[in-house]
Amino acid sequence: MRTDLFINNEWRNASDGGTFPVTNPATEEVLCEVAKATDTDVDAAVQAARACFDSKEWKRLSARRRGAMLLKAGDLLEARMKEFAKLESQHNGKTFFEAKIEISMTVSSLRYYGGLADKIEGKTVPVEGPFLVYTRREPLGVVGAIVPWNFPLNLASWKFAPALAAGCTIVLKPATETPLTALLFGEVIQEAGFPPGAFNVISGGGSTAGMSLVKHPGVDKIAFTGSTEVGRVIMKEAAKSNKRISLELGGKSPNVIFADADIESAIRGAQTGIFYGKGEVCAAGSRLLVEKSVHDQVVEQLAARAAKLTPGDPLAKETRMGAVVSQSQQESVMSYVARGVEEGAKLVAGGKRAQVDGKGYFVEATVFDNVTSDMTIAREEIFGPVLSVLAFDDFDHAAQIANETVYGLAAGIWTRDIGKAHRLAQEIQAGTVWINAYNYYDTAAPFGGFKASGFGRELGSEAMDAYLETKTVWVNLV
Ligand code: NAP
Ligand code: MG
């Protein structure tokens, strides 16, 4: 385990010696004390990233060589899969089963962007007059990356892998609840051969270390994943210095089941859509829209499945429902459950706290029926294992409810009518639409939000745009 800040390829204590505890939410035990970055430490990390970015060594490093380092990092991480997955499970509460998937997705990010590093091309541009005009795609500088606790290392890699591939350097601030895998990843960075300052990790608070990074004049860009609320705060602050930003924010994604769907698969998709990762998934299918004629059947079967999804020891092989990330998250989820009941939704499964061996912050897989778009549980992101079921009459009604949200991150559509599926895919305002599937991700497939779910795209070759500037060069040929 690493518990110190990773700055300039070294592990350091916080400048004032400060630390904060990291807890295992499944056992309530304190795992360790981790260094809490001060403004001085954030400044040291940014200076290290800046010095690396401006160094001749980094500038002369070919894109292919940078790519090779990322590929090597992918191999090193893959070889340590179980160690990283266990740690991810311990600080986040997710099952070991899910943590392994997460770490293998991180390996994919490293490989995909490692392969892309030497394929960043400009173009020649036909213009009027005797000129040769060409563009260069240049790294935009020092990137500050701020990430949440739900997929700690993977969401960080969605930023640091393309950023390093582009030739940027990076300062990463992991979430307070889950700093351990990002810090340990420093070992991988060192061994992969990255020079000091290319990749730095400052564990610490959001409004302190995070905000200090956002305000720092040495940072050229902030890449943020987290809540819509904090995204707005960052946007406002970044505007003061024209910092570039990209934001991956919250969601309240509709998962739409038509009567002509393969109902069995649709129910399975609805289940994983909301309960995978304990519902702490930005793209969770947290609003299930069901056509009236199949509504009772779908709700009944889903409630039965939810009842069987009992929370267990996250490290046990067979467990499919882990602990929510913290006690305060458990309280927040439970307050939404209470609100659902108060506002007249019908609780058909779960709805209670749970413990495993008398410990831990678990929440039962919960399903609310008879939900309407005006209810709090249909409007606000709960970020827990709580599903809201809304019934619809026909296609237009489904499209209307689907878009009755400020968010636009993802959506699911279940039907055997292929034309209807594509028509609805066009109408739903969301960055990702799954047809007869839910919660699939691939490093090659762009991901990001419409509306209040943010802007900019991660994953795929699109992600590179967030870390590159285009320079146009005019050459007078006469
Ligand atoms: P959050 O409170 O917004 O925190 C996200 C990160 O921002 C954390 O590292 C946090 O640090 C930091 N932070 C908090 N306040 C800050 C400030 N004033 N200045 C700078 N940084 C600050 O989000 P969360 O509650 O941890 O995570 C859940 C949210 O993330 C959900 O809304 C979810 O939808 C969203 N999310 C989106 C995606 C996506 O791809 N669109 C993916 C995953 C999650 P601390 O941990 O120290 O507070
Ligand atoms: Mg937070």
Side-chain angles (χ1 to χ4, degrees):
M1 214 183 289
R2 291 286 181 175
T3 56
D4 290 336
L5 310 173
F6 185 69
I7 298 174
N8 221 24
N9 273 5
E10 294 166 1
W11 274 273
R12 300 185 189 171
N13 291 322
S15 60
D16 64 356
T19 62
F20 62 95
V22 177
T23 305
N24 181 336
T27 62
E28 303 179 29
E29 280 157 9
V30 173
L31 287 163
C32 56
E33 288 283 329
V34 166
K36 188 175 184 184
T38 62
D39 288 352
T40 308
D41 299 317
V42 174
D43 182 52
V46 174
Q47 303 251 14
R50 189 87 251 160
C52 178
F53 185 77
D54 292 336
S55 71
K56 289 202 172 73
E57 185 194 357
W58 185 252
K59 288 209 169 89
R60 283 183 193 148
L61 200 67
S62 70
R64 187 156 302 157
R65 187 71 204 104
R66 281 200 312 272
M69 288 175 184
L70 285 166
L71 292 169
K72 185 166 179 197
D75 290 346
L76 292 166
L77 182 62
E78 188 173 54
R80 298 174 68 176
M81 173 82 72
K82 282 195 181 151
E83 178 191 0
F84 274 86
K86 187 175 174 199
L87 201 56
E88 202 76 301
S89 168
Q90 285 175 315
H91 62 182
N92 168 280
K94 67 174 65 190
T95 63
F96 185 60
F97 170 81
E98 290 170 346
K100 275 192 298 186
I101 296 172
E102 195 208 313
I103 303 301
S104 63
M105 285 174 73
T106 311
V107 171
S108 290
S109 304
L110 291 162
R111 292 194 172 139
Y112 182 87
Y113 292 104
L116 206 58
D118 64 357
K119 295 165 194 72
I120 301 163
E121 298 171 345
K123 57 186 179 185
T124 55
V125 186
V127 297
E128 297 279 349
F131 298 101
L132 163 66
V133 174
Y134 65 93
T135 62
R136 288 170 46 76
R137 302 275 277 155
E138 299 184 354
L140 70 75
V142 174
V143 174
I146 301 177
V147 296
W149 40 256
N150 56 342
F151 295 89
L153 191 61
N154 188 40
L155 291 181
S157 79
W158 289 11
K159 305 183 189 323
F160 67 67
L164 290 167
C168 294
T169 58
I170 191 148
V171 178
L172 167 65
K173 197 211 83 70
T176 296
E177 289 86 351
T178 56
L180 301 177
T181 42
L183 291 170
L184 189 63
F185 191 75
E187 292 186 0
V188 171
I189 285 289
Q190 278 181 320
E191 208 180 330
F194 284 98
F199 172 94
N200 309 274
V201 186
I202 44 154
S203 40
S207 53
T208 52
M211 193 32 83
S212 173
L213 191 59
V214 174
K215 286 189 168 158
H216 202 295
V219 174
D220 299 295
K221 189 230 159 82
I222 294 290
F224 173 78
T225 298
S227 59
T228 295
E229 192 191 354
V230 174
R232 285 196 190 114
V233 172
I234 287 178
M235 232 172 138
K236 206 169 162 187
E237 194 57 44
K240 293 182 187 161
S241 57
N242 293 83
K243 264 193 191 84
R244 278 109 181 92
I245 50 171
S246 47
L247 304 174
E248 296 282 1
L249 308 174
K252 192 74 197 177
S253 300
N255 195 3
V256 183
I257 302 180
F258 285 103
D260 60 4
D262 171 347
I263 297 294
E264 196 51 42
S265 328
I267 290 169
R268 270 202 309 275
Q271 177 185 333
T272 56
I274 185 62
F275 299 131
Y276 187 88
K278 324 151 244 169
E280 293 168 347
V281 177
C282 49
S286 52
R287 290 186 301 142
L288 187 70
L289 279 48
V290 187
E291 192 161 359
K292 278 191 178 140
S293 59
V294 290
H295 166 272
D296 293 358
Q297 172 193 355
V298 168
V299 171
E300 193 180 308
Q301 288 186 40
L302 203 53
R305 280 170 166 271
K308 283 193 199 140
L309 206 60
T310 42
D313 170 7
L315 292 177
K317 251 194 190 145
E318 64 286 355
T319 306
R320 292 293 178 272
M321 177 68 100
V324 300
V325 74
S326 63
Q327 186 171 21
S328 74
Q329 187 63 14
Q330 186 195 42
E331 276 161 20
S332 159
V333 174
M334 292 312 298
S335 74
Y336 276 111
V337 171
R339 199 73 185 267
V341 173
E342 265 165 45
E343 292 180 11
K346 182 179 167 198
L347 185 63
V348 294
K352 293 198 292 293
R353 289 181 171 84
Q355 292 193 316
V356 172
D357 298 331
K359 291 205 177 92
Y361 312 120
F362 297 84
V363 175
E364 290 177 350
T366 299
V367 180
F368 274 108
D369 193 15
N370 297 351
V371 178
T372 50
S373 285
D374 56 328
M375 291 183 188
T376 308
I377 58 168
R379 286 186 289 110
E380 295 184 17
E381 185 176 43
I382 299 174
F383 228 56
V386 180
L387 180 67
S388 298
V389 181
L390 299 89
F392 70 83
D393 299 316
D394 56 16
F395 181 95
D396 288 341
H397 192 208
Q400 179 207 320
I401 302 176
N403 287 329
E404 267 171 359
T405 170
V406 296
Y407 294 112
L409 194 56
I413 300 169
W414 299 85
T415 171
R416 286 195 175 97
D417 180 338
I418 191 165
K420 185 160 76 180
H422 288 285
R423 271 200 320 279
L424 188 58
Q426 283 182 20
E427 289 212 16
I428 294 183
Q429 295 150 359
T432 294
V433 179
W434 290 287
I435 296 174
N436 296 327
Y438 206 92
N439 253 347
Y440 283 83
Y441 306 88
D442 190 286
T443 320
F447 180 81
F450 282 28
K451 296 157 70 180
S453 294
F455 48 78
R457 288 293 175 269
E458 300 201 285
L459 302 181
S461 54
E462 259 95 341
M464 298 305 293
D465 296 342
Y467 303 102
L468 293 165
E469 290 279 23
T470 297
K471 181 181 280 172
T472 305
V473 181
W474 289 67
V475 186
N476 188 344
L477 297 176
V478 292

